[in-house]
Amino acid sequence: MESIYILHVELLGFEKRFFPSQHHVYMLLIKWSDLSEKLIYRKYPEIHTFHKSLKEMFPIEAGDIDAKDRIIPSLPAPKWFDNQKTTETRQGTLAEYCRDLVALPPKISRSQLVRNFFQVRPEDETPPAPHPYKKNETYVMSKDRARDNKSEITGPIMLETYRVIADYKHSSKHELSLEVGALVDIVEKTSNGWWFCQCDSRQGWVPASYLEPLEGPEEAEEPDPNYEGELYITTKVYNAVEDDELTLVVGETVEVIHKLLDGWWVVRKGELTGHYPSMFLLKTGEKKGPGNEKGVLRRETPPPRRSTIRNAQSIHAKGRKKITQDTYRRNSRRYLQQRGQRSGRASTQPPLLERKNNSENIAPKTVATKPKEDLPAIPPRPSPELILERCTEDTCKRISIRKAAETEITS
């Protein structure tokens, strides 16, 4: 049986520790060929020691015999004294090194040396005891900078702390089991509603619907509804379970009008609106690839919705403001009507129906559309004489004077 190998190494950031003495460790998320994901911690000096061992094992690929043959990426040597600034600015270089390392030929990237270095160690699962007075500080690397080849790094971001609102029992080895009231640090938020969290010395995936911010019930990062909509294509069948969800098959085009952080987006299909798992949606124009499927590979099932959680216990007196499907539907209909009026068309069809070259969806231009019962028909414009009859005597006099003056000018 073939040994598992590394698919991807993602640098999440670094952690500043104070016990037994102050030092920094990098947080690396390792994705293996068996689809498992492990979070490990490594100091920069030991990463550089591994790099030197790799060059010794593969001298030709390291360029030791001929510099033109070098394919192993370079890695700067550690400084005599590494402070927080050095650790921070080095992230871009280290992230690029990890990407290039995994992309090397299999005889290098899948070698025993590489596998052993990135394997989970006991201290990764059970970090050293914290300082009695100082708490470890965790800094997350900006995702935009992590994808960039440049070594410029934005300022560090402290991890957000959330509270668990109900007991959660993990359904796979990649998830965390949590009890109500526990506090977790968010390492990574994904659009599919599964967040990578750290609770004490444990790490794993947790549904965002089971978490709430400490400052208040509302999510500051959650965007407002966008009734103009973004076109997406369904990638997997989903049968609605709740009344406010939609049942769709593979390959249907929908418009996303509200991207919720719990992974259940509100979509519009024709005149219907409803919740649908974001992990089963792909933006039109994008190709299915490792980057787009990252969230799908992590999970095969959508996270539970907050409305289905029993015995949820929040610390906030007021709950989250929830938009009902009637509100979504009403505002969506109003937006489509206004857009139709702006474009000079009386039709209030959603753009999905207008874009399709299907005679069943688009009414012929020669056939007048029947106005809906809840929308009154626009009356014809009255004649100028009728308008003057309804004007006051003073207004009629002013119009007569103005007409007389215009007549004198033209004559």
Side-chain angles (χ1 to χ4, degrees):
M1 183 177 179
E2 185 181 1
S3 301
I4 62 171
Y5 54 88
I6 299 172
L7 290 176
H8 181 65
V9 178
E10 183 175 353
L11 176 63
L12 301 179
F14 65 93
E15 191 171 84
K16 183 178 181 181
R17 295 178 176 176
F18 301 92
F19 188 83
S21 61
Q22 181 173 312
H23 62 282
H24 300 85
V25 292
Y26 288 103
M27 301 185 299
L28 300 168
L29 185 62
I30 314 301
K31 304 177 184 180
W32 295 88
S33 58
D34 62 351
L35 303 186
S36 63
E37 297 177 340
K38 300 295 183 181
L39 183 65
I40 66 173
Y41 301 87
R42 296 291 184 269
K43 297 178 183 179
Y44 189 77
E46 60 180 322
I47 297 177
H48 191 264
T49 301
F50 155 77
H51 170 68
K52 291 193 297 182
S53 301
L54 191 67
K55 291 172 59 180
E56 293 174 0
M57 180 174 290
F58 301 97
I60 297 177
E61 291 79 2
D64 292 343
I65 300 176
D66 190 341
K68 294 185 296 183
D69 295 331
R70 176 161 189 167
I71 59 175
I72 294 179
S74 301
L75 189 67
K79 295 185 178 181
W80 180 75
F81 178 74
D82 280 345
N83 54 21
Q84 180 168 325
K85 185 64 177 178
T86 306
T87 304
E88 175 190 338
T89 55
R90 194 192 283 127
Q91 291 181 105
T93 303
L94 185 56
E96 184 179 357
Y97 175 82
C98 292
R99 286 195 298 266
D100 294 342
L101 177 65
V102 177
L104 289 174
K107 72 172 185 177
I108 303 177
S109 61
R110 302 182 186 182
S111 64
Q112 189 67 38
L113 176 64
V114 174
R115 294 203 308 268
N116 288 346
F117 180 75
F118 290 103
Q119 282 285 357
V120 176
R121 302 171 182 171
E123 57 267 29
D124 294 326
E125 298 180 329
T126 308
H131 192 275
Y133 307 114
K134 295 181 180 180
K135 183 181 179 182
N136 293 340
E137 299 176 3
T138 307
Y139 300 84
V140 175
M141 184 180 183
S142 169
K143 287 187 178 181
D144 294 334
R145 293 294 186 181
R147 298 190 187 99
D148 198 347
N149 288 333
K150 299 179 181 179
S151 59
E152 298 177 7
I153 303 297
T154 57
I157 304 172
M158 293 298 294
L159 291 183
E160 295 179 271
T161 301
Y162 278 65
R163 178 184 175 275
V164 182
I165 64 171
D167 294 339
Y168 178 72
K169 178 66 175 177
H170 69 271
S171 57
S172 76
K173 61 180 181 181
H174 309 305
E175 300 175 17
L176 278 182
S177 292
L178 297 171
E179 295 182 355
V180 61
L183 299 180
V184 298
D185 293 327
I186 310 300
V187 178
E188 181 182 2
K189 292 182 179 180
T190 62
S191 59
N192 61 20
W194 289 97
W195 293 0
F196 196 78
C197 304
Q198 177 172 310
C199 182
D200 297 328
S201 60
R202 300 177 297 132
Q203 301 93 22
W205 297 99
V206 176
S209 53
Y210 274 76
L211 305 174
E212 68 174 357
L214 298 180
E215 294 77 14
E218 303 300 330
E219 283 283 2
E221 299 178 22
E222 196 158 79
D224 295 327
N226 174 25
Y227 291 101
E228 182 179 357
E230 296 181 50
L231 292 182
Y232 279 75
I233 299 175
T234 56
T235 59
K236 192 172 182 179
V237 177
Y238 176 75
N239 295 315
V241 178
E242 303 295 323
D243 295 337
D244 58 352
E245 298 174 0
L246 288 183
T247 296
L248 298 172
V249 298
V250 177
E252 294 199 55
T253 304
V254 297
E255 295 171 291
V256 175
I257 61 177
H258 201 183
K259 296 180 178 181
L260 300 172
L261 293 182
D262 64 358
W264 288 85
W265 291 357
V266 181
V267 302
R268 179 170 59 210
K269 177 67 176 176
E271 293 189 355
L272 298 177
T273 62
H275 291 274
Y276 197 79
S278 63
M279 65 191 307
F280 298 157
L281 295 172
L282 178 67
K283 194 168 186 178
T284 55
E286 291 185 353
K287 295 182 179 180
K288 249 187 176 181
N292 294 343
E293 290 185 342
K294 181 173 67 170
V296 179
L297 287 173
R298 288 173 179 163
R299 296 294 311 172
E300 296 182 355
T301 56
R305 295 185 58 191
R306 176 160 292 198
S307 57
T308 64
I309 300 176
R310 297 182 180 180
N311 302 322
Q313 301 175 19
S314 173
I315 58 174
H316 306 297
K318 294 183 179 180
R320 283 186 182 178
K321 296 179 182 178
K322 183 181 178 182
I323 303 177
T324 64
Q325 284 304 318
D326 289 338
T327 303
Y328 282 123
R329 198 173 295 113
R330 183 171 59 252
N331 292 341
S332 178
R333 188 183 296 118
R334 184 183 297 118
Y335 169 81
L336 295 175
Q337 179 190 1
Q338 292 173 352
R339 184 169 62 184
Q341 292 175 351
R342 286 196 302 267
S343 60
R345 296 174 295 183
S347 172
T348 59
Q349 293 186 81
L352 280 182
L353 300 184
E354 294 177 1
R355 291 187 181 105
K356 290 183 179 179
N357 297 321
N358 191 330
S359 59
E360 296 179 359
N361 293 331
I362 302 179
K365 294 182 178 179
T366 56
V367 179
T369 58
K370 183 179 178 181
K372 295 184 178 181
E373 296 180 359
D374 55 345
L375 299 175
I378 301 175
R381 180 179 177 83
S383 63
E385 294 78 10
L386 182 58
I387 294 175
L388 286 175
E389 289 180 5
R390 298 179 180 177
C391 292
T392 62
E393 184 176 352
D394 183 57
T395 302
C396 292
K397 286 181 180 180
R398 291 184 181 182
I399 294 176
S400 299
I401 296 172
R402 183 176 179 181
K403 285 184 176 180
E406 292 176 352
T407 304
E408 291 178 0
I409 294 174
T410 56
S411 61

